[in-house]
Amino acid sequence: MKTGIYPGTFDPITHGHTDIITRSLRMFDRVVVAVAPNPSKHPLFNVTERVEMVRLVMKDLPQIEVTQFEGLLVDYVERSGANAIIRGLRAISDFEHEFQMALINRKLAKTVETVFLMPSEEYSYLSSTIIKEVARHGGALTEFLHPEVARRLNDRIRSLKS
Ligand code: ADP
């Protein structure tokens, strides 16, 4: 059984992330979405809230497991016996950082491969950061987020403003 690990911050999960997860199931029998706390990114949602939203969006796909992980990604990948790390590549601008991460991870753990998947064009401009910016300015979120995730994002932004 082939297992892939899709790590990220998911603050919050967007249709871009979902697109990558769905595509990855063509290559892996099982995919673990591993949510990192990433406090240095000052996420809007805590890691438990982010895990809960990914679970909610993925609830109809039994091949998907959602978990949180701490520490070094490659340690987690080796411990869990997974076959590869999955990352999404939106544009050339993602490439340099992703390339660097993949090579560092390979140095740290020789047998851990990274697989890059490209999203559908309609999501190639989408990022959680942009979506939070749209939400802060009251823009419509329906094209980018699961309705419940959009509701939680709007609630969070409202509560921060008040
Ligand atoms: P990180 O902080 O690790 O970059 P993110 O949650 O921002 O976490 O992203 C997780 C992974 O998903 C990354 O590989 C990122 O490039 C990818 N990703 C995010 N949004 C999209 C999208 N719209 N299309 C394709 N890949 C995406």
Side-chain angles (χ1 to χ4, degrees):
M1 183 188 274
K2 289 245 178 285
T3 301
I5 295 208
Y6 181 35
T9 313
F10 304 99
D11 184 47
I13 181 167
T14 69
H15 288 342
H17 294 122
T18 314
D19 184 271
I20 296 295
I21 295 170
T22 315
R23 284 172 199 285
S24 68
L25 285 177
R26 298 192 185 131
M27 304 170 67
F28 297 94
D29 307 298
R30 184 172 153 260
V31 170
V32 179
V33 182
V35 183
N38 275 348
S40 60
K41 286 197 162 186
H42 304 291
L44 202 51
F45 294 97
N46 70 38
V47 67
T48 314
E49 293 169 324
R50 284 179 268 138
V51 165
E52 199 184 295
M53 285 187 277
V54 180
R55 285 207 178 116
L56 185 114
V57 174
M58 292 295 138
K59 66 177 185 327
D60 294 330
L61 290 176
Q63 313 94 305
I64 306 295
E65 190 185 308
V66 188
T67 185
Q68 76 175 79
F69 81 100
E70 309 258 353
L72 216 49
L73 175 63
V74 285
D75 288 346
Y76 177 70
V77 174
E78 283 188 323
R79 250 195 342 264
S80 61
N83 304 87
I85 297 170
I86 300 159
R87 295 285 288 176
L89 271 188
R90 279 162 290 202
I92 298 173
S93 53
D94 276 344
F95 180 77
E96 192 158 347
H97 174 69
E98 294 293 340
F99 182 69
Q100 196 177 15
M101 295 267 296
L103 290 184
I104 293 239
N105 284 337
R106 183 182 280 168
K107 270 259 179 282
L108 294 169
K110 283 191 184 52
T111 59
V112 175
E113 294 297 340
T114 304
V115 171
F116 295 101
L117 295 176
M118 288 194 300
S120 156
E121 286 127 62
E122 57 187 309
Y123 302 130
S124 59
Y125 58 89
L126 197 56
S127 71
S128 301
T129 308
I130 291 268
I131 289 316
K132 285 181 277 190
E133 214 41 48
V134 172
R136 276 191 196 100
H137 293 95
L141 300 173
T142 43
E143 275 182 56
F144 316 118
L145 302 180
H146 181 285
E148 178 57 22
V149 174
R151 191 189 66 74
R152 292 185 194 193
L153 177 56
N154 280 328
D155 280 358
R156 178 58 46 93
I157 283 171
R158 221 172 293 122
S159 73
L160 289 174
K161 278 185 181 161
S162 60

